[in-house]
């Protein structure tokens, strides 16, 4: 099942990735990590066949030390 997966950054940017095959994980990465990335994130996926959108995931906190 192909889907768009969205990564929502609380109070900041939204990132997305398209997965064109069935898989149970999508990986997001930051090339240069900085303090601006230390936030709460949630994921959500959108599929077109059958049309649907998931609920946003539980929040995940990214902590930089």
């Amino acid at each position: 099942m192909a889907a768009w997966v969205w990564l929502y950054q609380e109070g900041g940017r939204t990132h997305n990735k398209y997965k064109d095959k069935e898989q149970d994980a999508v990986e997001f990465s930051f090339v240069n990590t900085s303090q601006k990335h230390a936030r709460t994130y949630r994921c959500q996926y959108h599929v077109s066949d059958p049309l649907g959108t998931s609920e946003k995931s539980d929040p995940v906190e990214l902590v930089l030390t």
Side-chain angles (χ1 to χ4, degrees):
M1 159 179 63
W4 279 97
V5 180
W6 295 83
L7 178 66
Y8 296 95
Q9 179 186 33
E10 180 182 288
R13 300 175 56 176
T14 300
H15 308 271
N16 63 57
K17 279 200 174 175
Y18 181 72
K19 61 177 198 151
D20 60 358
K21 60 184 177 186
E22 189 169 332
Q23 59 192 62
D24 60 0
V26 173
E27 206 172 282
F28 288 90
S29 60
F30 301 106
V31 176
N32 294 313
T33 307
S34 67
Q35 204 56 38
K36 69 181 180 183
H37 295 107
R39 302 203 187 249
T40 301
Y41 292 86
R42 292 175 183 257
C43 287
Q44 184 177 45
Y45 68 85
H46 306 270
V47 294
S48 57
D49 188 26
L51 186 61
T53 301
S54 72
E55 295 292 324
K56 284 187 180 174
S57 68
D58 291 337
V60 174
E61 185 76 23
L62 176 63
V63 178
L64 298 175
T65 57

